[in-house]
Amino acid sequence: MRKSPKLCLAFLIMVLLFGLSHGLPPFWPRTDLTMTNNLGGPVLTVHCKSKDNDLGVHMVAAKTDYHFSFQPNIWRTTLFFCSFQWNNQVKRFDIFDATRDQDDGYKFNWTIKPDGPCKLGKNAKCFPWK
């Protein structure tokens, strides 16, 4: 019995779309994100989330970093948003926004300063807090 090319293609698409979320290896690398506390002294409390994942609360000492990695979705809608607390301040920022960041590679280094986060690397840029 001859298999239909359309059936094989549909099966492949199903595996790519649904298999990735069920433990099959992805066909593109994970994204690594690092944030360094450059506030000049105080401990930074970081709490990052996406629509699907809450990464919990992390205490980041001065000049040290917090790191996490994730698999962006194929629709370019992955978003990780974080709150940053130190002293009596609470700030917010979208630390990974696929529409802004995905074309910049798979490794992101951020420095967190009192006046806002700065993305380091070839497309270095500082941003205001939200």
Side-chain angles (χ1 to χ4, degrees), residues 59-110:
M59 308 295 278
V60 184
K63 301 292 183 188
T64 63
D65 57 63
Y66 167 59
H67 170 270
F68 66 93
S69 63
F70 57 94
Q71 184 69 55
N73 66 40
I74 62 173
W75 297 278
R76 298 177 62 94
T77 59
T78 302
L79 175 69
F80 276 92
F81 47 94
C82 303
S83 67
F84 301 88
Q85 295 178 286
W86 69 95
N87 297 337
N88 291 323
Q89 298 190 54
V90 178
K91 306 290 185 178
R92 289 177 176 71
F93 185 70
D94 295 339
I95 203 71
F96 182 86
D97 182 341
T99 57
R100 179 192 68 207
D101 299 319
Q102 198 157 322
D103 291 335
D104 293 343
Y106 297 100
K107 295 200 182 300
F108 295 90
N109 292 299
W110 290 84

